[in-house]
Amino acid sequence: MNKRHLLVSTALLVCTSSAWAEDAITRNAYFGETHMHTALSLDAFIGGARLMPSDSLRFAKGASVIVDGRHKQLKRPLDFAAVSDHVEYLGEMYSTIYPDAPGHLQDDLKQLRSLETLEDKQKWFYKYVVSNNRGDDPSHPPFYMGPETTKSGWQIIKDAAEEHNDPGTFTAFVAFEWSAAPGGGNMHRNVIFRDSVTPELPYSSYDSNKVEDLWDWLQMSADEGSTLLAIPHNSNASKQLMFPDTDSFGNDLTTDWAERRQMWEPLIEMMQIKGNSEVHEAFWQADEFADFENANSIQKNSNRYFHKRDFVREGLKIGLAEEQKLGVNPYQYGFIGGTDNHNGLPSDVAEDDFTGGHGPEDGTVERRRTGGVGGWIDGADLSIGSLAGVWAEENTRASIWDSMKRRETFATSGTRIKVRMFGGVGLSATDPATMVSEGYDTGTPMGGILVASDMAPTFTVYAEKDPDGANLDRVQIIKGWVDSSGDIHERVVDVAWAGDRAPDEGGKLPSVGNTVDLKTALYTNDIGATTLFGRWTDPDFDPGNGAFYYVRALEIPTPRWTTYDAVRNDLPLLADIPAIIQERAWGSPIWSSPKP
């Protein structure tokens, strides 16, 4: 057994009961939604969405609503949610929906309200949205009646958040989406406010589709009293724009640019309904779990061909290299989840009840199996989306927003797995309770930066299964680093796992097994663990190299939504589409800055 195998196997500790500590800093795991759309988003409205922001927040709190002619209700209410409607057409949608609004009787809007066939809806959307929004200089359509209509739509969003915000029970954030898509590259950001102090008008990509101008607006809003942050969307569709080597104007990156990006964008969306942005199997052949929700059909549209630079893990490594040149890491991101649901249904993420997220485009079994979301993705390639997880002191706007800002967050692929990690020299905890108290007292939590040291850091990790879901397979730590020559590297380490498995001579841990019955879409929890705890010390630590470490926890195999669809409707399983998946969670990285 070589050094790596010895370190991994001796780090293995499996915990069989839930034990989140009562410690000096008591923080709980809260689950929510940071990315979804209602009828106030034009693309959602044209797809049939009629839920308004208040309706969506009622759904998030556990109420039943009707979508596509059927009742929808979360099995478990959320702890928090942000309605993030596209601000670009907010005024236009106010005119469309409200009979007494300016412009309501314009011919274009009459036509919009009367569209019936999917083909007609797609043509209208292409004419007024796609051909405009993806150009170099997008602008409002001719039926826009001016800023006062945008202000009225914005007030609806703010009023809904105030109506449903219930400190201690449910948090409703004021938010909006800035939807820049230059050349079809997804550069969208969700802007989330800490409280009710908001600008008179939100900022759209029709004001500017340059992210640097958005940062200027964020700064101006902060100067006027707002507290806010921006969350970049799924990078897999960004056409190499999300982690660029120049700014939006083609200039070389500067230290000031890096500082501003780090300041305003503490988090990035790891996964949503259009797939997983962590890694892709085409570029990470050595990562056996890189084939998860790769959403390959995105590449059929707008020349969104995948590159390694489009994925979060590579972006984190590029950030380390930029830090070596600029002195600041512009891509020092924590992880968050969202769905991008366009039916007005926040965190509608049950694999066994997936009914699509884009109205008629994916709202039937046939469309999900043989159709798709026009201009974006094949139906069968859709993911259910992702959940946002935070470690916060209480369920309030201030506490949850602060956890986002300090990056003490995690994302899951839809199940309510809890993950936690601490790093520091000499961490010695052997159980979850001690891990938390020790981690806050002498270590660094997820999202933080390690205290500079010549000694190798130790990381303690803990994962707890969704109480209503599948058992856990393993917990991994992913390390990325940049060496003195500026070359970037990575490594995936199995730290804790279920059962009596052991890595083989090549370091590969055997599969946990598979209990899924594809004929019934059922599985059992006869394998796996309810909780996993582990401790790992980096054997290759070099204090002169910048590095990051993040935790990834995987469940045992379970049926994918396509399998549930097939079994329910007595249809064959889809060819070339995975019938089973391993749901997972990603914890925000902990960074080690290079020691001078």
PDB file of all heavy atoms in Angstrom, residues 411-442:
ATOM      1  N   ALA A 411     -24.254  23.187  -2.609  1.00  0.00           N
ATOM      2  CA  ALA A 411     -25.286  22.924  -3.614  1.00  0.00           C
ATOM      3  C   ALA A 411     -25.542  21.428  -3.648  1.00  0.00           C
ATOM      4  O   ALA A 411     -24.626  20.630  -3.448  1.00  0.00           O
ATOM      5  CB  ALA A 411     -24.837  23.414  -4.987  1.00  0.00           C
ATOM      6  N   THR A 412     -26.787  21.048  -3.901  1.00  0.00           N
ATOM      7  CA  THR A 412     -27.096  19.636  -4.095  1.00  0.00           C
ATOM      8  C   THR A 412     -27.803  19.473  -5.437  1.00  0.00           C
ATOM      9  O   THR A 412     -28.358  20.428  -5.983  1.00  0.00           O
ATOM     10  CB  THR A 412     -27.994  19.055  -2.987  1.00  0.00           C
ATOM     11  OG1 THR A 412     -29.372  19.292  -3.312  1.00  0.00           O
ATOM     12  CG2 THR A 412     -27.668  19.664  -1.633  1.00  0.00           C
ATOM     13  N   SER A 413     -27.800  18.259  -5.943  1.00  0.00           N
ATOM     14  CA  SER A 413     -28.453  17.987  -7.222  1.00  0.00           C
ATOM     15  C   SER A 413     -29.953  17.778  -7.059  1.00  0.00           C
ATOM     16  O   SER A 413     -30.613  17.303  -7.986  1.00  0.00           O
ATOM     17  CB  SER A 413     -27.819  16.766  -7.886  1.00  0.00           C
ATOM     18  OG  SER A 413     -27.943  15.623  -7.055  1.00  0.00           O
ATOM     19  N   GLY A 414     -30.488  18.159  -5.921  1.00  0.00           N
ATOM     20  CA  GLY A 414     -31.935  18.111  -5.714  1.00  0.00           C
ATOM     21  C   GLY A 414     -32.355  17.480  -4.404  1.00  0.00           C
ATOM     22  O   GLY A 414     -33.422  17.789  -3.869  1.00  0.00           O
ATOM     23  N   THR A 415     -31.545  16.584  -3.863  1.00  0.00           N
ATOM     24  CA  THR A 415     -31.880  15.978  -2.587  1.00  0.00           C
ATOM     25  C   THR A 415     -31.305  16.825  -1.449  1.00  0.00           C
ATOM     26  O   THR A 415     -30.432  17.668  -1.657  1.00  0.00           O
ATOM     27  CB  THR A 415     -31.330  14.546  -2.494  1.00  0.00           C
ATOM     28  OG1 THR A 415     -29.908  14.587  -2.623  1.00  0.00           O
ATOM     29  CG2 THR A 415     -31.920  13.670  -3.575  1.00  0.00           C
ATOM     30  N   ARG A 416     -31.794  16.590  -0.243  1.00  0.00           N
ATOM     31  CA  ARG A 416     -31.391  17.435   0.886  1.00  0.00           C
ATOM     32  C   ARG A 416     -30.251  16.794   1.684  1.00  0.00           C
ATOM     33  O   ARG A 416     -30.347  16.553   2.892  1.00  0.00           O
ATOM     34  CB  ARG A 416     -32.600  17.764   1.762  1.00  0.00           C
ATOM     35  CG  ARG A 416     -33.648  18.535   0.987  1.00  0.00           C
ATOM     36  CD  ARG A 416     -34.658  19.238   1.842  1.00  0.00           C
ATOM     37  NE  ARG A 416     -35.685  19.867   1.021  1.00  0.00           N
ATOM     38  CZ  ARG A 416     -36.613  20.696   1.477  1.00  0.00           C
ATOM     39  NH1 ARG A 416     -36.647  21.006   2.764  1.00  0.00           N
ATOM     40  NH2 ARG A 416     -37.518  21.218   0.662  1.00  0.00           N
ATOM     41  N   ILE A 417     -29.177  16.486   0.950  1.00  0.00           N
ATOM     42  CA  ILE A 417     -27.941  16.063   1.602  1.00  0.00           C
ATOM     43  C   ILE A 417     -27.348  17.274   2.314  1.00  0.00           C
ATOM     44  O   ILE A 417     -27.364  18.380   1.788  1.00  0.00           O
ATOM     45  CB  ILE A 417     -26.921  15.552   0.567  1.00  0.00           C
ATOM     46  CG1 ILE A 417     -27.542  14.527  -0.382  1.00  0.00           C
ATOM     47  CG2 ILE A 417     -25.693  14.980   1.249  1.00  0.00           C
ATOM     48  CD1 ILE A 417     -26.640  14.194  -1.565  1.00  0.00           C
ATOM     49  N   LYS A 418     -26.787  17.047   3.498  1.00  0.00           N
ATOM     50  CA  LYS A 418     -26.046  18.100   4.190  1.00  0.00           C
ATOM     51  C   LYS A 418     -24.561  17.764   4.123  1.00  0.00           C
ATOM     52  O   LYS A 418     -24.165  16.632   4.394  1.00  0.00           O
ATOM     53  CB  LYS A 418     -26.477  18.202   5.656  1.00  0.00           C
ATOM     54  CG  LYS A 418     -27.936  18.595   5.852  1.00  0.00           C
ATOM     55  CD  LYS A 418     -28.296  18.587   7.336  1.00  0.00           C
ATOM     56  CE  LYS A 418     -29.765  18.912   7.549  1.00  0.00           C
ATOM     57  NZ  LYS A 418     -30.136  18.855   8.995  1.00  0.00           N
ATOM     58  N   VAL A 419     -23.745  18.747   3.759  1.00  0.00           N
ATOM     59  CA  VAL A 419     -22.298  18.546   3.740  1.00  0.00           C
ATOM     60  C   VAL A 419     -21.630  19.692   4.482  1.00  0.00           C
ATOM     61  O   VAL A 419     -22.104  20.827   4.483  1.00  0.00           O
ATOM     62  CB  VAL A 419     -21.730  18.453   2.310  1.00  0.00           C
ATOM     63  CG1 VAL A 419     -22.177  17.188   1.630  1.00  0.00           C
ATOM     64  CG2 VAL A 419     -22.086  19.673   1.488  1.00  0.00           C
ATOM     65  N   ARG A 420     -20.499  19.364   5.119  1.00  0.00           N
ATOM     66  CA  ARG A 420     -19.740  20.351   5.883  1.00  0.00           C
ATOM     67  C   ARG A 420     -18.263  19.978   5.843  1.00  0.00           C
ATOM     68  O   ARG A 420     -17.919  18.795   5.849  1.00  0.00           O
ATOM     69  CB  ARG A 420     -20.236  20.384   7.330  1.00  0.00           C
ATOM     70  CG  ARG A 420     -20.138  21.741   7.992  1.00  0.00           C
ATOM     71  CD  ARG A 420     -20.901  21.746   9.306  1.00  0.00           C
ATOM     72  NE  ARG A 420     -21.184  23.100   9.756  1.00  0.00           N
ATOM     73  CZ  ARG A 420     -21.872  23.388  10.856  1.00  0.00           C
ATOM     74  NH1 ARG A 420     -22.335  22.415  11.619  1.00  0.00           N
ATOM     75  NH2 ARG A 420     -22.100  24.640  11.199  1.00  0.00           N
ATOM     76  N   MET A 421     -17.420  20.983   5.810  1.00  0.00           N
ATOM     77  CA  MET A 421     -15.983  20.731   5.826  1.00  0.00           C
ATOM     78  C   MET A 421     -15.279  21.880   6.541  1.00  0.00           C
ATOM     79  O   MET A 421     -15.672  23.034   6.421  1.00  0.00           O
ATOM     80  CB  MET A 421     -15.429  20.609   4.402  1.00  0.00           C
ATOM     81  CG  MET A 421     -13.920  20.345   4.348  1.00  0.00           C
ATOM     82  SD  MET A 421     -13.303  19.915   2.691  1.00  0.00           S
ATOM     83  CE  MET A 421     -13.215  21.538   1.939  1.00  0.00           C
ATOM     84  N   PHE A 422     -14.245  21.529   7.290  1.00  0.00           N
ATOM     85  CA  PHE A 422     -13.368  22.506   7.922  1.00  0.00           C
ATOM     86  C   PHE A 422     -11.931  22.154   7.563  1.00  0.00           C
ATOM     87  O   PHE A 422     -11.595  20.984   7.340  1.00  0.00           O
ATOM     88  CB  PHE A 422     -13.531  22.501   9.447  1.00  0.00           C
ATOM     89  CG  PHE A 422     -14.872  22.983   9.909  1.00  0.00           C
ATOM     90  CD1 PHE A 422     -15.926  22.086  10.093  1.00  0.00           C
ATOM     91  CD2 PHE A 422     -15.106  24.326  10.171  1.00  0.00           C
ATOM     92  CE1 PHE A 422     -17.174  22.520  10.522  1.00  0.00           C
ATOM     93  CE2 PHE A 422     -16.341  24.778  10.599  1.00  0.00           C
ATOM     94  CZ  PHE A 422     -17.378  23.870  10.773  1.00  0.00           C
ATOM     95  N   GLY A 423     -11.074  23.170   7.513  1.00  0.00           N
ATOM     96  CA  GLY A 423      -9.664  22.945   7.237  1.00  0.00           C
ATOM     97  C   GLY A 423      -8.790  23.698   8.222  1.00  0.00           C
ATOM     98  O   GLY A 423      -9.189  24.733   8.762  1.00  0.00           O
ATOM     99  N   GLY A 424      -7.616  23.172   8.475  1.00  0.00           N
ATOM    100  CA  GLY A 424      -6.671  23.840   9.366  1.00  0.00           C
ATOM    101  C   GLY A 424      -5.550  22.902   9.761  1.00  0.00           C
ATOM    102  O   GLY A 424      -5.672  21.672   9.640  1.00  0.00           O
ATOM    103  N   VAL A 425      -4.476  23.465  10.228  1.00  0.00           N
ATOM    104  CA  VAL A 425      -3.347  22.660  10.678  1.00  0.00           C
ATOM    105  C   VAL A 425      -3.700  21.953  11.979  1.00  0.00           C
ATOM    106  O   VAL A 425      -4.158  22.576  12.940  1.00  0.00           O
ATOM    107  CB  VAL A 425      -2.099  23.539  10.873  1.00  0.00           C
ATOM    108  CG1 VAL A 425      -0.966  22.740  11.513  1.00  0.00           C
ATOM    109  CG2 VAL A 425      -1.660  24.129   9.544  1.00  0.00           C
ATOM    110  N   GLY A 426      -3.524  20.640  11.996  1.00  0.00           N
ATOM    111  CA  GLY A 426      -3.687  19.883  13.227  1.00  0.00           C
ATOM    112  C   GLY A 426      -5.105  19.576  13.640  1.00  0.00           C
ATOM    113  O   GLY A 426      -5.325  19.156  14.780  1.00  0.00           O
ATOM    114  N   LEU A 427      -6.085  19.738  12.778  1.00  0.00           N
ATOM    115  CA  LEU A 427      -7.450  19.362  13.153  1.00  0.00           C
ATOM    116  C   LEU A 427      -7.478  17.875  13.478  1.00  0.00           C
ATOM    117  O   LEU A 427      -7.006  17.044  12.702  1.00  0.00           O
ATOM    118  CB  LEU A 427      -8.429  19.683  12.026  1.00  0.00           C
ATOM    119  CG  LEU A 427      -8.622  21.161  11.664  1.00  0.00           C
ATOM    120  CD1 LEU A 427      -9.723  21.310  10.614  1.00  0.00           C
ATOM    121  CD2 LEU A 427      -8.952  21.997  12.899  1.00  0.00           C
ATOM    122  N   SER A 428      -8.050  17.558  14.621  1.00  0.00           N
ATOM    123  CA  SER A 428      -7.942  16.179  15.104  1.00  0.00           C
ATOM    124  C   SER A 428      -9.283  15.544  15.432  1.00  0.00           C
ATOM    125  O   SER A 428      -9.324  14.451  15.996  1.00  0.00           O
ATOM    126  CB  SER A 428      -7.059  16.147  16.360  1.00  0.00           C
ATOM    127  OG  SER A 428      -7.618  16.979  17.380  1.00  0.00           O
ATOM    128  N   ALA A 429     -10.379  16.199  15.114  1.00  0.00           N
ATOM    129  CA  ALA A 429     -11.700  15.694  15.468  1.00  0.00           C
ATOM    130  C   ALA A 429     -11.923  14.287  14.916  1.00  0.00           C
ATOM    131  O   ALA A 429     -11.494  13.974  13.805  1.00  0.00           O
ATOM    132  CB  ALA A 429     -12.777  16.629  14.946  1.00  0.00           C
ATOM    133  N   THR A 430     -12.592  13.472  15.689  1.00  0.00           N
ATOM    134  CA  THR A 430     -12.917  12.115  15.269  1.00  0.00           C
ATOM    135  C   THR A 430     -14.421  11.869  15.219  1.00  0.00           C
ATOM    136  O   THR A 430     -14.865  10.739  15.029  1.00  0.00           O
ATOM    137  CB  THR A 430     -12.273  11.091  16.216  1.00  0.00           C
ATOM    138  OG1 THR A 430     -12.728  11.342  17.561  1.00  0.00           O
ATOM    139  CG2 THR A 430     -10.757  11.176  16.160  1.00  0.00           C
ATOM    140  N   ASP A 431     -15.211  12.925  15.390  1.00  0.00           N
ATOM    141  CA  ASP A 431     -16.654  12.802  15.320  1.00  0.00           C
ATOM    142  C   ASP A 431     -17.230  14.138  14.864  1.00  0.00           C
ATOM    143  O   ASP A 431     -16.589  15.187  14.997  1.00  0.00           O
ATOM    144  CB  ASP A 431     -17.236  12.398  16.675  1.00  0.00           C
ATOM    145  CG  ASP A 431     -16.993  13.457  17.726  1.00  0.00           C
ATOM    146  OD1 ASP A 431     -17.837  14.363  17.844  1.00  0.00           O
ATOM    147  OD2 ASP A 431     -15.948  13.398  18.412  1.00  0.00           O
ATOM    148  N   PRO A 432     -18.457  14.167  14.358  1.00  0.00           N
ATOM    149  CA  PRO A 432     -19.030  15.396  13.812  1.00  0.00           C
ATOM    150  C   PRO A 432     -19.176  16.524  14.825  1.00  0.00           C
ATOM    151  O   PRO A 432     -18.973  17.693  14.485  1.00  0.00           O
ATOM    152  CB  PRO A 432     -20.393  14.945  13.288  1.00  0.00           C
ATOM    153  CG  PRO A 432     -20.236  13.494  13.029  1.00  0.00           C
ATOM    154  CD  PRO A 432     -19.304  12.994  14.090  1.00  0.00           C
ATOM    155  N   ALA A 433     -19.551  16.213  16.049  1.00  0.00           N
ATOM    156  CA  ALA A 433     -19.744  17.268  17.042  1.00  0.00           C
ATOM    157  C   ALA A 433     -18.439  17.986  17.345  1.00  0.00           C
ATOM    158  O   ALA A 433     -18.366  19.221  17.357  1.00  0.00           O
ATOM    159  CB  ALA A 433     -20.332  16.674  18.324  1.00  0.00           C
ATOM    160  N   THR A 434     -17.383  17.219  17.579  1.00  0.00           N
ATOM    161  CA  THR A 434     -16.076  17.822  17.838  1.00  0.00           C
ATOM    162  C   THR A 434     -15.571  18.553  16.601  1.00  0.00           C
ATOM    163  O   THR A 434     -14.944  19.615  16.710  1.00  0.00           O
ATOM    164  CB  THR A 434     -15.066  16.741  18.251  1.00  0.00           C
ATOM    165  OG1 THR A 434     -15.586  16.001  19.356  1.00  0.00           O
ATOM    166  CG2 THR A 434     -13.738  17.363  18.639  1.00  0.00           C
ATOM    167  N   MET A 435     -15.855  18.012  15.438  1.00  0.00           N
ATOM    168  CA  MET A 435     -15.447  18.641  14.188  1.00  0.00           C
ATOM    169  C   MET A 435     -15.951  20.077  14.098  1.00  0.00           C
ATOM    170  O   MET A 435     -15.209  20.989  13.704  1.00  0.00           O
ATOM    171  CB  MET A 435     -15.997  17.828  13.013  1.00  0.00           C
ATOM    172  CG  MET A 435     -15.995  18.541  11.676  1.00  0.00           C
ATOM    173  SD  MET A 435     -16.960  17.611  10.454  1.00  0.00           S
ATOM    174  CE  MET A 435     -17.208  18.849   9.207  1.00  0.00           C
ATOM    175  N   VAL A 436     -17.196  20.305  14.456  1.00  0.00           N
ATOM    176  CA  VAL A 436     -17.787  21.636  14.325  1.00  0.00           C
ATOM    177  C   VAL A 436     -17.187  22.612  15.333  1.00  0.00           C
ATOM    178  O   VAL A 436     -16.768  23.715  14.982  1.00  0.00           O
ATOM    179  CB  VAL A 436     -19.322  21.568  14.472  1.00  0.00           C
ATOM    180  CG1 VAL A 436     -19.930  22.958  14.469  1.00  0.00           C
ATOM    181  CG2 VAL A 436     -19.921  20.723  13.352  1.00  0.00           C
ATOM    182  N   SER A 437     -17.121  22.203  16.595  1.00  0.00           N
ATOM    183  CA  SER A 437     -16.571  23.108  17.605  1.00  0.00           C
ATOM    184  C   SER A 437     -15.100  23.402  17.339  1.00  0.00           C
ATOM    185  O   SER A 437     -14.656  24.556  17.405  1.00  0.00           O
ATOM    186  CB  SER A 437     -16.763  22.523  19.008  1.00  0.00           C
ATOM    187  OG  SER A 437     -16.157  21.252  19.123  1.00  0.00           O
ATOM    188  N   GLU A 438     -14.333  22.378  17.006  1.00  0.00           N
ATOM    189  CA  GLU A 438     -12.921  22.571  16.698  1.00  0.00           C
ATOM    190  C   GLU A 438     -12.751  23.391  15.429  1.00  0.00           C
ATOM    191  O   GLU A 438     -11.875  24.263  15.342  1.00  0.00           O
ATOM    192  CB  GLU A 438     -12.238  21.212  16.532  1.00  0.00           C
ATOM    193  CG  GLU A 438     -10.763  21.304  16.155  1.00  0.00           C
ATOM    194  CD  GLU A 438     -10.189  19.952  15.771  1.00  0.00           C
ATOM    195  OE1 GLU A 438     -10.753  19.294  14.868  1.00  0.00           O
ATOM    196  OE2 GLU A 438      -9.173  19.555  16.372  1.00  0.00           O
ATOM    197  N   GLY A 439     -13.596  23.107  14.436  1.00  0.00           N
ATOM    198  CA  GLY A 439     -13.479  23.789  13.154  1.00  0.00           C
ATOM    199  C   GLY A 439     -13.664  25.284  13.261  1.00  0.00           C
ATOM    200  O   GLY A 439     -12.913  26.063  12.662  1.00  0.00           O
ATOM    201  N   TYR A 440     -14.657  25.705  14.051  1.00  0.00           N
ATOM    202  CA  TYR A 440     -14.878  27.142  14.215  1.00  0.00           C
ATOM    203  C   TYR A 440     -13.854  27.769  15.166  1.00  0.00           C
ATOM    204  O   TYR A 440     -13.478  28.929  15.012  1.00  0.00           O
ATOM    205  CB  TYR A 440     -16.289  27.418  14.712  1.00  0.00           C
ATOM    206  CG  TYR A 440     -17.354  27.322  13.637  1.00  0.00           C
ATOM    207  CD1 TYR A 440     -18.450  26.475  13.771  1.00  0.00           C
ATOM    208  CD2 TYR A 440     -17.255  28.088  12.483  1.00  0.00           C
ATOM    209  CE1 TYR A 440     -19.426  26.389  12.791  1.00  0.00           C
ATOM    210  CE2 TYR A 440     -18.221  28.008  11.484  1.00  0.00           C
ATOM    211  CZ  TYR A 440     -19.307  27.156  11.649  1.00  0.00           C
ATOM    212  OH  TYR A 440     -20.272  27.074  10.662  1.00  0.00           O
ATOM    213  N   ASP A 441     -13.403  27.011  16.136  1.00  0.00           N
ATOM    214  CA  ASP A 441     -12.447  27.565  17.112  1.00  0.00           C
ATOM    215  C   ASP A 441     -11.052  27.749  16.517  1.00  0.00           C
ATOM    216  O   ASP A 441     -10.413  28.779  16.714  1.00  0.00           O
ATOM    217  CB  ASP A 441     -12.352  26.650  18.338  1.00  0.00           C
ATOM    218  CG  ASP A 441     -13.584  26.751  19.226  1.00  0.00           C
ATOM    219  OD1 ASP A 441     -14.360  27.715  19.054  1.00  0.00           O
ATOM    220  OD2 ASP A 441     -13.770  25.854  20.071  1.00  0.00           O
ATOM    221  N   THR A 442     -10.575  26.741  15.798  1.00  0.00           N
ATOM    222  CA  THR A 442      -9.172  26.778  15.361  1.00  0.00           C
ATOM    223  C   THR A 442      -8.986  26.561  13.863  1.00  0.00           C
ATOM    224  O   THR A 442      -7.858  26.591  13.388  1.00  0.00           O
ATOM    225  CB  THR A 442      -8.360  25.696  16.103  1.00  0.00           C
ATOM    226  OG1 THR A 442      -8.853  24.389  15.749  1.00  0.00           O
ATOM    227  CG2 THR A 442      -8.467  25.873  17.610  1.00  0.00           C
TER     228      THR A 442
END
